[in-house]
Amino acid sequence: MAVKGCYSCIKYLLFIFNILFWIIGMVILGLGIYYEVEKRSDVVTIVDDSEDAYGGLMIGVGTFIALVGFAGCFGALRENRSCLIFYGTMVTIVFVLQVVAGGLAYRYRDKLDTTVQDGMMRTLGKYTDKSTAIDKAWLYVQGKFKCCGVNNYTDWQNSTFTEENPGMVPPSCCDSNVTCAFSHPQNIYQQGCYEKVLNDLRDDWKILAGVGIGIAAVQVFGIFFSCALQANIKKGEYVYV
């Protein structure tokens, strides 16, 4: 059977849309698996060290999106109303959750500064210079931004690292081949990492917000196409080929 008139175009547009939706899901799933295997450390880790949750979350979200995309492809191509109802319902739920999440993020945007600073102070206290995820994250951030500590290098005075290495600060706080110690403050990066990390996260979140808005707009079309195709199938408006 084939759908008549403009509904045929909707059918194939919905199919193409869901191919892309499925690909996005598989990419997120792959990134989640990579994260779990490699335990990659970055700017996020020094703010929130519960890194194990991120890989699992991406795997779950990627799997969900891939399944929904597959249901949409199958429902559109086979003109299966049950799959289209499932697809439309799931996309609508995801869309609503995105709107709620966006609203909450905007509502609590002023708490970002405190959250970032508190998280950085917590992970700084756990730094050991033994190649843990937190160690690698601080090494990366201090080396990349040429900064030291949260507010400044004196934050390291009460850290686990300084307890184990009296008088010293992490080597990533200084340029190579110099003594990196409190007794040589001229060798230590004077600026703290807090502002650098905060600005970096803000830039990333602006990009994510833009991508989220774009995805939400596409989802609206997907919901519309799904409903239109369902209604046409329900009415039995077919021609045999």
Side-chain angles (χ1 to χ4, degrees), residues 18-224:
N18 281 289
I19 286 289
L20 296 175
F21 206 59
W22 180 82
I23 290 173
I24 291 172
M26 294 304 292
V27 169
I28 295 174
L29 173 61
L31 288 173
I33 293 173
Y34 171 78
Y35 197 100
E36 282 293 295
V37 172
E38 297 295 329
K39 298 298 183 186
R40 185 172 58 87
S41 299
D42 53 20
V43 173
V44 176
T45 304
I46 71 169
V47 177
D48 184 355
D49 58 326
S50 58
E51 60 173 347
D52 289 345
Y54 297 124
L57 179 62
M58 286 190 287
I59 290 173
V61 170
T63 301
F64 176 78
I65 291 176
L67 288 174
V68 172
F70 176 79
C73 287
F74 182 83
L77 196 62
R78 302 295 297 177
E79 298 170 19
N80 186 299
R81 189 164 177 266
S82 296
C83 281
L84 289 173
I85 291 174
F86 170 78
Y87 164 77
T89 302
M90 292 298 101
V91 174
T92 301
I93 290 173
V94 172
F95 176 77
V96 172
L97 290 176
Q98 285 178 213
V99 172
V100 172
L104 289 174
Y106 181 80
R107 171 66 177 80
Y108 294 105
R109 67 190 184 282
D110 293 335
K111 294 186 177 181
L112 173 63
D113 296 18
T114 303
T115 300
V116 170
Q117 189 171 41
D118 290 347
M120 291 178 69
M121 290 299 296
R122 184 176 62 255
T123 59
L124 182 145
K126 297 179 181 180
Y127 182 94
T128 61
D129 199 29
K130 296 178 181 178
S131 297
T132 65
I134 291 176
D135 297 346
K136 292 176 182 178
W138 273 103
L139 177 66
Y140 168 77
V141 168
Q142 292 184 147
K144 175 183 179 181
F145 296 123
K146 304 296 183 184
C147 58
C148 186
V150 180
N151 300 297
N152 56 57
Y153 70 91
T154 60
D155 292 329
W156 288 105
Q157 289 178 336
N158 299 315
S159 66
T160 301
F161 172 81
T162 304
E163 290 178 2
E164 297 175 352
N165 303 272
M168 305 299 292
V169 293
S172 55
C173 278
C174 307
D175 291 325
S176 302
N177 302 318
V178 297
T179 301
C180 207
F182 289 108
S183 58
H184 294 74
Q186 70 277 9
N187 294 338
I188 305 174
Y189 301 138
Q190 298 298 304
Q191 187 174 3
C193 298
Y194 166 63
E195 290 292 340
K196 301 283 188 179
V197 169
L198 185 63
N199 291 334
D200 190 74
L201 290 174
R202 281 174 173 165
D203 290 341
D204 288 346
W205 288 339
K206 286 177 183 177
I207 295 173
L208 289 175
V211 171
I213 291 172
I215 292 175
V218 175
Q219 285 173 328
V220 171
F221 285 103
I223 294 168
F224 171 76

